[in-house]
Structure formats: structure tokens, C-alpha cells
Amino acid sequence: MASSVRFHPCFLVASILSYYVVGLLATTHNVPQAQLIPDINQNLMKVSIGTPPVDFYGSIDTGSDLVWTQCLPCDACFKQNHPMFDSRRSSTYREISCQSEECRILLDETTCSPQNICNYKYGYASGLTKGVLAKEKVAINSTSGQAVSFDIAFGCAHNTSSFHYKGHGTGIIGLGAGPLSFVSQIGSKRFSYCMLPYGTDPSITSKISFGNGSEVVGDGVVSTPFVGGDQYYVTLEGISVGDTYVPFNSSGKVSKGNVCIDSGSPPLTLPPDFYDRLVVEVKKQISIDPIKNDTLLGTRLCYRTEITNENGPILTVHFEGADVELKPIHTFNRPVKEYEYYCFAITNIANTELDFKDGTGVYGSNVQANFLIGYDLETRMVSFKPTDCTKL
């Protein structure tokens, strides 16, 4: 999730077992494909839920598994701009019993009601979503123009009081590799998405696709393996600033799976030592003097002049077997809209609310923009293809 919602990507309170829910996926001639809508550091996937259907705008999150949306009655929930799902009006809504496999998957994160209904809580660093685990019909569009429907387990949230979300979303669509993720439940082994750059007009949308036909192929594609269980951990070997290579570790040695690809967190976030060495090199390659001694900006590397392809360096991210080129649109932004400040958008974990003690980084959504990114759960590969996502 966005920085205002979710500060601890890839590591969840919920503990997941290795159980996969069987789903039914459409054919290669009818690829499930949904709109992807930019929304305040989020990317919302539009689906419908229930019978009759209600629109559900979930933030896509490769760093978690659970699919959930706010449900009536919802006395302790963030304000949403779209009608809230009312399970009492859906003929296909079924609450899940405490003995169900889906309830067991969440282990200690569930309690049993007197009516034998599975109540869940699902943790993010900034808080919890609480409610009832249920099954419901969800539907998304497809490349044929016909809606494709699935029966999935989801969280019907009645309490999200710890979230302070101000966008148009109504919940989260977990796209992790675990058994309760949207991907696993619809029986998909692959999916891909193309996220729009921060600040894109929200009337412009992109696409997210699932199953056969969603593969990322063609000229310019690079791929890297992911390791780990329910999330997508890849190996970052270093980052080049222009022609100067900065290794992830000063020793040159890296641990496998040292970065989590997380569509739910905006920045590329790095361990302190790597971040400090990277900033030194970025500063060297920008001829403009940075802003100094500004209490509003703290220790951030910022300039009063916009950093563009003409005056800023290209950063090349070196994953295992894959080099991904980032332009200044990915690596610099305006953190305070009221001021003409342009700051380095890659962040230091030490200055966030993240609590990684093992030197792990996070590859967030800002640096994923304008790439078609594909995940293959069979080959365990993540692929990147430079793409103008506004034209999909």
C-alpha cells in the first residue's frame, strides 16, 4: 500500500500455509484483464463483487496475499468515495466456517465466532483490517469484452480504523504468491501489469492481465528469478549511476532475494550503507548545487531545478540477469507540491517506519512505472519491458 497506509511491505503479520485454492481460469482467447487506475501513489484494479454486482476498487499489492474490501456495517472504516459493499444484499455471499481450509491458512490471525464463522485480522505495519472471511463471486473484464467471473475467499472488512487512506480505493487486492492471493485463487500461474507514472491524469488508465496471454514477451524484455515463498524477492547486485557502478554491498557479495518487489509501496527503498554510497554518486553527476540546511527537507537530496534527462543521470538497476534502466522521472519527484523542490525519490530505510534488520530493500511502484512487468509463478521469474503504459 501507499506510504500513508502501509509502511512495512512484503512482511505481513499473517502467516500462510502452502495450500493452494483451485480456481477456474479463462482460455488464452479470453484473457482476464482489468482497468488499472492511478490514485495517490496507488494503482487501483477495478473488479465487481457480489450479486447484483458492486464495483470494488482494490489497490494492487504484490507484497501481500489477502483480498479484502470494506463492508457494511462499517463503523470504524476509512471514508470511501464509492458505495460500500453490503453483503446482506448479495445472493452469492457465503461466510466461511472456522473449519474451512481458508480459515486455517490464516492460523493465529483468526478467531471463531459463536456462530462458527471465521473472523480474521490481517496485519500491515500501520495497522490491521478486521472482519469476516467469506466467499463471493467476483468478475473482471477480459480481452474478448465479456466479463469473466470467479468464486474467491475474501475479507469482508468491518474495521479498518488504523488506515488513513484518502484515495478512491475500497480495499486491497493481494497479488502475492500465497494461497489466498487473487492470483492463486483464480488458478493463474502468471500475470502482468503496466503502472502509470506518479501524477498521471486519473482519467487515463492502464491494464492488468491474468493467465495465459498475459506473458511479457518481445524486444527489450529482461527477466530475473525470484526466491522466497509468498512474496517476490529478487537479487539486486548494484545500481549504476551513469557509467559508475555502485555495488549493493561494499564487499561486493550479496544475499539472494535481498529486495522485495512491492507494487503496494511507492519508493525504491534501500539499506543505509547502499543508499549513502548511491547518493554520493548521484550528487557527483548533477552539476546543479543541491539545497542545503532546509529543515523542511531534512537530509534528503533536493534541488530547486527540475531534474530531467538533460541534467540528471540515468540509473541502471542491476538485478541478477536483468538490467533495468530508470530515468529521472522514476528517481526524482516533488515531495511537497507547494514548493518547487525536486528530490531524490529513492529512500533510506533508516528514515522510514520500516524495520528491516537483514539489509533487505523494497522495489516500489514509483520505479515500476512505464514498464510492463510480468510474474510467472511456474518458472519463478519476473520480467520487465519498457512500455508507455498510457497507450495500452
Side-chain angles (χ1 to χ4, degrees):
M1 287 295 292
S3 57
S4 62
V5 180
R6 181 168 174 265
F7 294 95
H8 203 329
C10 303
F11 292 90
L12 299 172
V13 173
S15 176
I16 307 295
L17 292 175
S18 297
Y19 169 82
Y20 286 82
V21 182
V22 176
L24 297 174
L25 197 64
T27 69
T28 55
H29 303 293
N30 191 27
V31 180
Q33 189 176 79
Q35 272 188 318
L36 208 53
I37 305 162
D39 181 57
I40 313 179
N41 272 336
Q42 299 297 300
N43 291 272
L44 304 179
M45 174 178 159
K46 182 183 177 182
V47 302
S48 64
I49 184 170
T51 307
V54 174
D55 285 342
F56 165 20
Y57 295 84
S59 176
I60 62 167
D61 189 9
T62 56
S64 67
D65 285 341
L66 188 67
V67 177
W68 63 267
T69 188
Q70 295 191 134
C71 294
L72 291 172
C74 208
D75 298 326
C77 290
F78 58 79
K79 183 180 178 181
Q80 67 179 58
N81 298 320
H82 302 282
M84 198 170 291
F85 179 63
D86 187 347
S87 62
R88 296 165 296 191
R89 296 187 175 184
S90 174
S91 62
T92 45
Y93 176 85
R94 291 107 60 213
E95 293 175 335
I96 289 175
S97 75
C98 300
Q99 288 72 42
S100 70
E101 194 63 38
E102 294 91 344
C103 193
R104 290 195 205 106
I105 286 169
L106 291 177
L107 291 175
D108 296 335
E109 302 312 313
T110 59
T111 57
C112 197
S113 76
Q115 294 77 32
N116 196 36
I117 300 303
C118 184
N119 294 321
Y120 79 92
K121 61 179 179 178
Y122 201 72
Y124 304 81
S126 58
L128 298 171
T129 166
K130 302 177 184 178
V132 174
L133 202 61
K135 281 196 172 182
E136 185 55 283
K137 177 183 177 182
V138 299
I140 63 175
N141 290 332
S142 70
T143 50
S144 72
Q146 298 296 314
V148 183
S149 63
F150 308 96
D151 197 42
I152 70 166
F154 81 109
C156 198
H158 298 294
N159 186 326
T160 58
S161 58
S162 59
F163 287 88
H164 303 287
Y165 185 55
K166 297 181 181 179
H168 290 81
T170 66
I172 295 177
I173 296 178
L175 296 176
L180 286 184
S181 79
F182 185 83
V183 184
S184 296
Q185 290 201 70
I186 68 172
S188 177
K189 294 298 183 183
R190 54 193 61 87
F191 67 98
S192 61
Y193 56 70
C194 203
M195 295 194 291
L196 298 163
Y198 177 68
T200 299
D201 184 334
S203 67
I204 300 173
T205 63
S206 189
K207 298 287 192 298
I208 180 168
S209 305
F210 298 89
N212 295 333
S214 68
E215 298 86 354
V216 176
V217 295
D219 294 339
V221 176
V222 294
S223 301
T224 187
F226 67 83
V227 299
D230 296 344
Q231 277 79 49
Y232 306 102
Y233 288 95
V234 295
T235 303
L236 175 58
E237 297 170 343
I239 296 176
S240 290
V241 184
D243 294 329
T244 303
Y245 180 73
V246 182
F248 188 91
N249 286 332
S250 299
S251 66
K253 298 178 180 179
V254 295
S255 301
K256 293 286 187 181
N258 59 0
V259 167
C260 179
I261 298 185
D262 187 0
S263 63
S265 291
L268 169 54
T269 307
L270 300 172
D273 174 65
F274 184 29
Y275 173 83
D276 290 343
R277 288 182 287 110
L278 189 66
V279 167
V280 167
E281 192 55 44
V282 169
K283 199 182 298 185
K284 280 183 188 177
Q285 297 196 27
I286 298 177
S287 59
I288 308 162
D289 289 333
I291 299 170
K292 297 178 181 178
N293 303 319
D294 189 310
T295 54
L296 180 67
L297 300 172
T299 59
R300 295 193 69 173
L301 175 61
C302 299
Y303 298 86
R304 287 191 173 87
T305 302
E306 184 175 5
I307 305 302
T308 65
N309 288 356
E310 284 68 42
N311 62 12
I314 300 297
L315 272 62
T316 304
V317 178
H318 302 286
F319 293 117
E320 178 185 354
D323 293 340
V324 177
E325 188 177 279
L326 302 178
K327 296 178 172 60
I329 191 175
H330 295 106
T331 54
F332 282 85
N333 62 18
R334 286 177 61 192
V336 184
K337 293 301 180 186
E338 293 79 13
Y339 297 90
E340 290 292 319
Y341 292 164
Y342 298 88
C343 297
F344 193 42
I346 297 176
T347 59
N348 183 347
I349 283 179
N351 296 332
T352 71
E353 296 192 18
L354 300 173
D355 186 23
F356 293 118
K357 305 234 187 312
D358 58 355
T360 302
V362 178
Y363 198 78
S365 60
N366 289 348
V367 288
Q368 296 182 45
N370 274 348
F371 285 93
L372 182 60
I373 302 179
Y375 298 76
D376 192 315
L377 278 64
E378 285 186 324
T379 62
R380 299 185 70 79
M381 299 289 285
V382 181
S383 299
F384 301 83
K385 182 179 183 179
T387 304
D388 183 349
C389 295
T390 65
K391 294 181 178 178
L392 288 185

